[in-house]
Amino acid sequence: MTGRVGRRIGRNLANFSYLAMMRKAQASAKSGLSMRNVLCVGWKLVILFSILLCLFAFLRIQHYSQTALPGNSTDLPHGSRHFSDGNPKVAFLFLARWNLPLDFLWGSFFENADRAKFSIYIHSDPGFMFNASTTRSAFFYDRQLKNSIKVAWGEASMIEAERLLFKEALQNPANQRLVLLSDRCVPLYNFSYIYNYLMNSPRSFVDSFLDKKDVRYNPRMSPVIPKNKWRKGSQWVTLTRRHVEVIVTDDIVFPIFRNCCKRRPQVDSGGGKKNLKLQKQHNCIPDEHYVQTLLAMNDLESELERRTLTYTLWNQSKTNLENKFWHPFTFSYADSGPQQIKRIKDINHVYYETEFRTEWCRKNVTSVPCFLFARKFSQGAAMRLLSQGIVNNFDVSALLELPP
């Protein structure tokens, strides 16, 4: 009896141990499964977090690149980042006071050009219209900007007008070279030569130099415009489309110029203390510094031919009046003969005294003329250029009745 009871107890203990072991094994299996689930979920969270972190970093880089100098690229005019499928064009941008006094010469120039390879834009006084009553050339009909502004020499309005021309020209994706011209500029070669000259160069032509003696830099421009990036040069530039985009999207440097780069007013003996106070303000001519300085600040000088394509002869007379206010020499009929024009066309280098730099005008190793345009020319001088076939053969008698 005792033996049976003992065996029963033994069997019960064995069953109990077996059940305990099974429960423990099941618990262990569940625990293992639970740990694998936890690890799996954990790795998924790590991967998701990594993806989110990469996405955040990408968005930050995009935000920085869009807000960095010279402005938000989304502000580019419509179509400016699309390359044309047709012929690349040269855009001729005329900065005019009113009408174009040399329109007859430019009309002859464009008459012999491939119309698919150029476009024309004019900034004139607000409200001035180019039509049959104001210009002799149909090439200029309705080519004026509708949003033009009043421009004063030596003020920021000059570069604001330039920016308006550039922005309008960017609307046409075919415009790949943009030439800024005055209303008294003349071409020195025919269209075909000028077109090939510009299209065969990947660079912009910007007269730009460092003038250590220059006193136009205003310390108030710092630190936005550092002094070592301050440049000087002619406003008559020829730019690639990419560099024009830098100019029209700039919303940092231009406001500084508008506030800190201003022309000192002329001496007015009757102005009293007010005029004396104005004479003490910093003197600066914005259009001789803006493009050069902006491109230098964007580290683009290696992409430039640091010279202008527009020849200007400055009046350097020693009279007191002319010493105070230098102006470009105006070529008259007598000054525009074949020898004078040949001298300009034969120039093959430009020397920059302040930098001890000679800018040789070359295409690869071949010497080329430095200048494609020249200014300032009177109507009589322009007539002589045409009559002598410098631009194109032309009947001067057709100019007897010039528009007002």
Side-chain angles (χ1 to χ4, degrees):
M1 184 70 178
T2 305
R4 281 200 298 270
V5 172
R7 285 194 296 273
R8 187 179 298 168
I9 292 173
R11 284 196 299 271
N12 289 338
L13 287 172
N15 290 336
F16 179 79
S17 298
Y18 174 76
L19 290 173
M21 289 176 63
M22 290 296 295
R23 286 172 183 164
K24 185 175 181 180
Q26 290 175 355
S28 297
K30 289 182 179 179
S31 177
L33 182 62
S34 177
M35 286 299 295
R36 283 196 298 273
N37 289 339
V38 170
L39 289 174
C40 183
V41 172
W43 277 112
K44 288 181 179 179
L45 289 175
V46 169
I47 293 171
L48 180 62
F49 179 76
S50 299
I51 293 173
L52 291 175
L53 187 62
C54 291
L55 180 61
F56 176 75
F58 174 76
L59 293 175
R60 289 290 294 173
I61 292 172
Q62 287 291 100
H63 175 74
Y64 175 78
S65 64
Q66 291 178 351
T67 56
L69 186 71
N72 193 328
S73 62
T74 59
D75 293 335
L76 286 175
H78 177 68
S80 67
R81 289 202 174 275
H82 301 289
F83 191 84
S84 172
D85 293 331
N87 288 322
K89 292 186 176 185
V90 174
F92 293 86
L93 315 179
F94 291 91
L95 195 58
R97 294 178 177 85
W98 191 248
N99 63 354
L100 292 177
L102 308 185
D103 55 358
F104 56 90
L105 181 148
W106 283 100
S108 178
F109 173 80
F110 291 123
E111 187 66 38
N112 291 273
D114 184 343
R115 286 160 173 75
K117 292 183 177 181
F118 71 88
S119 52
I120 300 170
Y121 303 85
I122 309 169
H123 184 284
S124 186
D125 269 6
F128 187 86
M129 303 292 292
F130 282 83
N131 51 42
S133 65
T134 59
T135 178
R136 294 185 61 90
S137 175
F139 286 105
F140 299 117
Y141 289 0
D142 299 321
R143 300 314 305 158
Q144 72 282 345
L145 299 190
K146 303 301 188 293
N147 59 342
S148 64
I149 61 172
K150 193 72 176 177
V151 175
W153 180 82
E155 296 185 4
S157 57
M158 182 73 79
I159 53 178
E160 189 173 356
E162 295 175 11
R163 281 158 53 94
L164 289 172
L165 280 168
F166 289 140
K167 188 172 184 178
E168 184 68 21
L170 284 184
Q171 299 286 352
N172 185 346
N175 292 330
Q176 295 297 314
R177 300 292 184 274
L178 295 88
V179 184
L180 186 64
L181 300 162
S182 79
D183 55 6
R184 292 283 184 175
C185 278
V186 300
L188 297 174
Y189 300 89
N190 61 33
F191 176 83
S192 178
Y193 183 88
I194 291 176
Y195 181 87
N196 291 329
Y197 189 113
L198 298 180
M199 288 301 174
N200 287 335
S201 173
R203 296 172 177 268
S204 292
F205 295 85
V206 181
D207 185 46
S208 177
F209 58 93
L210 175 63
D211 188 356
K212 295 181 180 179
K213 298 179 181 178
D214 183 41
V215 294
R216 292 181 179 178
Y217 177 79
N218 190 337
R220 290 173 53 205
M221 297 177 176
S222 179
V224 177
I225 303 176
K227 190 172 184 178
N228 67 330
K229 296 294 184 180
W230 181 252
R231 299 291 186 269
K232 186 178 182 180
S234 169
Q235 76 177 108
W236 310 113
V237 297
T238 298
L239 302 170
T240 64
R241 186 178 184 87
R242 190 171 89 84
H243 293 157
V244 171
E245 290 176 350
V246 172
I247 294 171
V248 301
T249 57
D250 166 42
D251 56 6
I252 296 175
V253 176
F254 176 67
I256 300 297
F257 264 78
R258 187 167 48 199
N259 294 330
C260 302
C261 183
K262 298 181 180 181
R263 178 175 64 93
R264 183 184 299 147
Q266 299 182 15
V267 177
D268 180 9
S269 57
K273 293 182 178 180
K274 182 178 180 180
N275 187 260
L276 291 175
K277 183 178 180 180
L278 291 173
Q279 290 304 311
K280 294 180 180 179
Q281 76 179 30
H282 204 85
N283 190 41
C284 184
I285 310 298
D287 55 80
E288 295 182 357
H289 298 275
Y290 173 68
V291 172
Q292 292 82 355
T293 300
L294 178 64
L295 295 180
M297 290 178 61
N298 282 270
D299 297 322
L300 294 173
E301 289 184 303
S302 63
E303 301 178 13
L304 308 178
E305 292 278 356
R306 293 176 61 190
R307 58 185 176 89
T308 180
L309 295 177
T310 301
Y311 176 82
T312 305
L313 177 62
W314 290 93
N315 189 336
Q316 300 183 23
S317 172
K318 297 300 182 181
T319 66
N320 290 334
L321 179 61
E322 290 171 339
N323 254 343
K324 291 178 181 178
F325 304 104
W326 278 11
H327 289 288
F329 177 81
T330 299
F331 290 86
S332 65
Y333 183 94
D335 304 313
S336 305
Q339 291 183 346
Q340 290 92 333
I341 299 303
K342 185 178 184 301
R343 276 198 291 267
I344 298 173
K345 295 171 74 170
D346 285 346
I347 297 173
N348 64 0
H349 70 279
V350 181
Y351 179 65
Y352 291 89
E353 184 178 357
T354 59
E355 294 182 339
F356 305 104
R357 170 171 61 94
T358 298
E359 196 75 21
W360 291 94
C361 306
R362 299 183 183 278
K363 178 185 175 183
N364 297 325
V365 295
T366 305
S367 179
V368 295
C370 288
F371 301 107
L372 301 180
F373 312 96
R375 64 186 292 265
K376 302 171 54 175
F377 280 70
S378 66
Q379 286 188 342
M383 289 181 192
R384 187 171 185 180
L385 294 181
L386 284 173
S387 65
Q388 295 174 347
I390 294 176
V391 175
N392 184 43
N393 292 327
F394 190 80
D395 182 9
V396 179
S397 63
L399 302 175
L400 294 177
E401 295 181 4
L402 288 172

